[in-house]
Amino acid sequence: MSDAAPASLSDHYPVELEPPDISAYERGNTGVPYFTTFASGRTGPDVLITALVHGNELCGAIALDHLFRNEIRPQCGTLTLGFCNVAAYAEFRADYPALSRFIDEDFNRVWDLDALEDGRRSLERARAREIRPLIERAELLLDLHSMQHATGPLVLAGRHAKGRQLAEKVGVPPLIVLDAGHAAGRRLRDYDFFDDPADPRSALLVECGQHWSNAAAAVAIETTYRFLNAVGQIDGETVIRHCGSGTPPRQKVVEIVQVITVKTDSFRFHGDYRGMEIIPKAGTEIGRDGGTPIRTPHDDCVLIMPTRRLSRGLTAVRLGRFVE
């Protein structure tokens, strides 16, 4: 069990969520433990929804459990529901909730083809290789996550137009972030064809809110139902029955222009940044990485998901701008 974050991260945020018992879903029907496919028998997309890429991010597991309990089935195509890093999830403790993010390495940084095909071993790589055939057959992916800080939910749609188009079709969360991922390794959202602008297969990674908040679970459930409706697998009445009839607000879009990767052991932010801060003036110093100043590249720079996991090679913050 491992996480570069200090246990004190949990001090600021109470654990409001109860981890669901997912043992009933272990057998599944795909040959991959904790992955279940429902086939409609009708032509339609192969859809995959994943949770627990990080073992301490409970909201996705709650959303999938909600689908199972309410016997949601696709009207067309196939729907696969999967719990990913179940070993890390098994280590979750409400008194130290930050420490079960992964076991050996970050499961959301191992999706480079070279990483999956080399001989390096870890629990996360073994699980990724086990899951990979199900990823390969997916045409549409929704990957459910949560965040360190209690900022508004957002969807990471990748760097190509197809991701933004899918996010806008879903309609939630209210912020779409266009980014290329991390220097430390590829996310599941960026796997191979999902990151190919010429390939119609597309994926979204949704950060539903603060890890252990009731609000994150509610966002995960609503996003999941609206995603299934957007791709034609459930009808609008099903969405209303489980999520209400309210109309989501118009989405805003942030394009990431620079990803700040930690290079030294003495990276420090100058402020207690939590995310979505707007820095008015270009060139403003927001931190230092050793002796190197970290400056905003343009006016009205938006800070996206600054982290306290400030270890070498990890993403410290994404710098972006609002776009039309």
Side-chain angles (χ1 to χ4, degrees):
M1 180 172 62
S2 177
D3 191 345
S8 61
L9 275 181
S10 63
D11 293 347
H12 301 288
Y13 302 109
V15 178
E16 300 172 347
L17 299 176
E18 184 72 25
D21 180 1
I22 64 171
S23 59
Y25 313 128
E26 179 177 4
R27 178 174 294 184
N29 64 0
T30 63
V32 178
Y34 293 98
F35 277 72
T36 301
T37 295
F38 300 108
S40 68
R42 300 175 181 173
T43 301
D46 289 317
V47 176
L48 173 61
I49 304 179
T50 49
L52 297 180
V53 162
H54 296 126
N56 65 332
E57 300 183 2
L58 308 182
C59 64
I62 291 170
L64 294 197
D65 184 56
H66 196 280
L67 295 179
F68 277 113
R69 289 178 180 274
N70 286 281
E71 299 184 345
I72 300 301
R73 302 292 184 267
Q75 296 178 336
C76 63
T78 63
L79 171 62
T80 300
L81 307 178
F83 303 90
C84 292
N85 200 341
V86 291
Y89 181 60
E91 299 292 333
F92 180 81
R93 290 174 49 186
D95 51 348
Y96 291 100
L99 297 183
S100 58
R101 181 174 171 84
F102 55 80
I103 300 294
D104 295 326
E105 62 178 321
D106 193 328
F107 189 80
N108 215 28
R109 302 292 183 273
V110 301
W111 292 96
D112 301 87
L113 295 185
D114 289 344
L116 291 172
E117 294 168 2
D118 67 19
R120 181 176 170 184
R121 297 182 180 181
S122 71
L123 185 146
E124 279 76 17
R125 289 188 191 223
R127 180 62 169 160
R129 290 164 184 148
E130 183 179 38
I131 292 170
R132 186 180 177 185
L134 301 179
I135 307 301
E136 284 282 348
R137 87 179 191 201
E139 296 175 277
L140 296 164
L141 168 70
L142 176 65
D143 189 23
L144 297 167
H145 287 252
S146 53
M147 301 182 283
Q148 287 181 24
H149 298 302
T151 54
L154 56 88
V155 52
L156 296 166
R159 55 183 172 170
H160 305 302
K162 64 179 183 178
R164 175 175 177 172
Q165 290 164 3
L166 179 58
E168 290 175 336
K169 192 174 181 181
V170 175
V172 293
L175 181 67
I176 299 171
V177 176
L178 309 178
D179 79 321
H182 303 275
R186 281 199 180 216
R187 305 168 298 195
L188 175 56
R189 196 237 74 85
D190 306 311
Y191 176 78
D192 193 29
F193 45 77
F194 292 138
D195 191 45
D196 181 351
D199 194 302
R201 291 171 287 185
S202 191
L204 301 176
L205 187 167
V206 178
E207 300 282 2
C208 298
Q210 203 284 322
H211 289 317
W212 311 297
S213 68
N214 287 325
V219 169
I221 291 169
E222 179 180 8
T223 301
T224 298
Y225 278 89
R226 291 191 181 278
F227 177 84
L228 290 174
N229 176 244
V231 301
Q233 291 202 324
I234 63 173
D235 58 28
E237 290 184 2
T238 302
V239 177
I240 292 171
R241 184 163 64 250
H242 294 287
C243 306
S245 58
T247 301
R250 183 175 181 272
Q251 291 168 305
K252 295 181 179 180
V253 181
V254 169
E255 178 185 34
I256 299 303
V257 300
Q258 186 176 358
V259 177
I260 304 299
T261 302
V262 180
K263 296 180 179 178
T264 75
D265 293 326
S266 57
F267 189 106
R268 295 291 183 271
F269 285 114
H270 293 330
D272 184 21
Y273 300 122
R274 301 300 178 99
M276 294 308 299
E277 292 88 356
I278 299 176
I279 310 302
K281 185 175 176 59
T284 299
E285 185 175 315
I286 61 171
R288 281 188 169 255
D289 193 352
T292 303
I294 307 301
R295 302 183 188 277
T296 53
H298 51 76
D299 290 349
D300 297 325
C301 182
V302 187
L303 308 191
I304 299 294
M305 296 181 68
T307 185
R308 294 184 182 180
R309 288 187 289 270
L310 296 172
S311 300
R312 289 190 189 198
L314 300 186
T315 298
V317 65
R318 304 164 175 92
L319 306 179
R321 59 186 169 202
F322 286 104
V323 296
E324 292 298 324

